């Protein structure tokens, strides 16, 4: 049996069906609940990142990095989501140090706020996935830049070398005597980053759609072809 969290905004709906403003006493009574849930989900996001760093389970836990913060946005709005992202970053800063904390906050903390905003506004998947992909790609290059500064080496050169070796292997298998230019290698590397983030955001949406609906905070429905593939019936 699925557990559903009540939406505080719907508890004060009158018999006529039109929502009425929350009385002051009721608003005060929901404030501790919002504080507790925000703190709990912020610590959950930090714990997922911490466990994945020391005991990596492949892409399984990575899917849920932005989900707790997005859930805070769905339940309590933008202010609580930003507080949750900041608290997660501060907690990780204490446990793992500022560099690791920044790598979580950018992009996953910001991504949680973005996805929560899109889902609460019932934005379709195409828009939210595209925006999340842009933010995730920016976060990827930011982390490359940050790690390059901390290590004193240009990690992008290493990445370009790997992409160049991959392209040489592909052209060799295809029987093409082509030597890719530096510009082409950079374009393909950026396209691969964008594509990987696109796939990641799609999987995050899919996992959140299956999970958050059971928690009583559903996100917008996926495209029809996804529902057909999953044999989903409303």
């Amino acid at each position: 049996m699925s557990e559903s969290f009540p939406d505080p905004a719907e508890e004060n709906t009158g018999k006529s069906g039109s929502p009425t403003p929350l009385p002051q006493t009721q608003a005060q009574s929901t404030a501790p609940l919002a504080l507790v849930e925000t703190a709990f989900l912020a610590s959950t996001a930090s714990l997922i990142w911490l466990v994945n760093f020391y005991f990596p389970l492949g892409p399984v836990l990575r899917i849920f990095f932005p989900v707790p913060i997005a859930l805070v946005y769905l339940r309590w709005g933008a202010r609580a989501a930003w507080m949750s992202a900041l608290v997660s970053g501060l907690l990780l800063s204490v446990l793992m140090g500022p560099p690791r904390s920044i790598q979580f906050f950018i992009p996953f903390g910001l991504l949680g706020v973005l996805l929560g905003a899109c889902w609460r506004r019932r934005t379709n998947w195409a828009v939210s996935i595209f925006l999340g992909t842009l933010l995730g790609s920016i976060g990827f290059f930011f982390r490359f830049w940050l790690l390059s500064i901390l290590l004193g080496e240009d990690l992008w050169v290493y990445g370009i070398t790997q992409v160049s070796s991959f392209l040489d292997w592909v052209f060799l298998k295809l029987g093409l005597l082509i030597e890719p230019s530096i510009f082409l290698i950079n374009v393909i590397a950026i396209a691969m980053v964008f594509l990987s983030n696109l796939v990641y955001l799609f999987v995050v949406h899919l996992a959140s759609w299956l999970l958050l609906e059971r928690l009583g905070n559903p996100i917008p429905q996926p495209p029809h072809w996804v529902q057909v593939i999953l044999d989903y019936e409303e």
Side-chain angles (χ1 to χ4, degrees):
M1 179 181 297
S2 61
E3 182 180 358
S4 174
F5 293 101
D7 190 345
E10 297 178 356
E11 293 180 354
N12 199 49
T13 303
K15 294 182 178 180
S16 62
S18 59
T20 57
L22 286 174
Q24 184 176 1
T25 55
Q26 187 173 353
Q28 292 175 354
S29 65
T30 59
L33 179 60
L35 181 63
V36 170
E37 285 193 8
T38 300
F40 174 77
L41 291 171
S43 61
T44 300
S46 302
L47 182 61
I48 294 174
W49 173 271
L50 185 69
V51 171
N52 185 78
F53 180 79
Y54 290 108
F55 305 99
L57 300 176
V60 177
L61 290 179
R62 188 171 182 267
I63 296 172
F64 299 99
F65 284 168
V67 175
I69 298 174
L71 179 57
V72 173
Y73 201 116
L74 288 173
R75 290 188 52 73
W76 300 106
R79 182 176 181 273
W82 280 110
M83 290 297 296
S84 179
L86 291 174
V87 169
S88 299
L90 291 175
L91 182 59
L92 288 174
S93 180
V94 173
L95 296 175
M96 306 178 68
R100 297 295 180 186
S101 172
I102 295 174
Q103 290 180 55
F104 169 80
F105 186 78
I106 303 175
F108 298 109
L110 299 178
L111 189 60
V113 177
L114 174 65
L115 293 179
C118 291
W119 293 341
R120 184 159 182 168
R121 290 168 174 79
R122 317 310 295 174
T123 306
N124 64 67
W125 280 33
V127 175
S128 56
I129 289 177
F130 176 74
L131 294 176
T133 300
L134 287 180
L135 180 58
S137 300
I138 294 173
F140 176 87
F141 290 112
F142 173 81
R143 283 182 291 165
F144 245 73
W145 170 78
L146 180 62
L147 291 175
S148 297
I149 293 178
L150 295 177
L151 297 176
E153 297 181 4
D154 189 357
L155 297 181
W156 183 247
V157 174
Y158 174 78
I160 290 299
T161 302
Q162 298 301 314
V163 174
S164 178
S165 300
F166 172 74
L167 291 178
D168 289 339
W169 177 81
V170 170
F171 290 153
L172 180 62
K173 291 297 182 180
L174 295 177
L176 301 175
L177 300 177
I178 301 176
E179 183 176 353
S181 63
I182 298 297
F183 176 77
L184 178 61
I185 294 174
N186 279 275
V187 170
I188 293 178
I190 295 174
M192 291 175 64
V193 171
F194 190 87
L195 180 61
S196 65
N197 278 278
L198 182 66
V199 173
Y200 171 72
L201 262 298
F202 176 78
V203 176
V204 168
H205 276 67
L206 192 60
S208 300
W209 173 54
L210 297 174
L211 174 64
L212 298 184
E213 184 176 13
R214 288 164 173 76
L215 296 179
N217 297 98
I219 70 172
Q221 293 296 314
H224 179 69
W225 63 269
V226 176
Q227 300 184 39
V228 171
I229 292 176
L230 299 178
D231 194 18
Y232 176 79
E233 296 181 358
E234 297 185 5

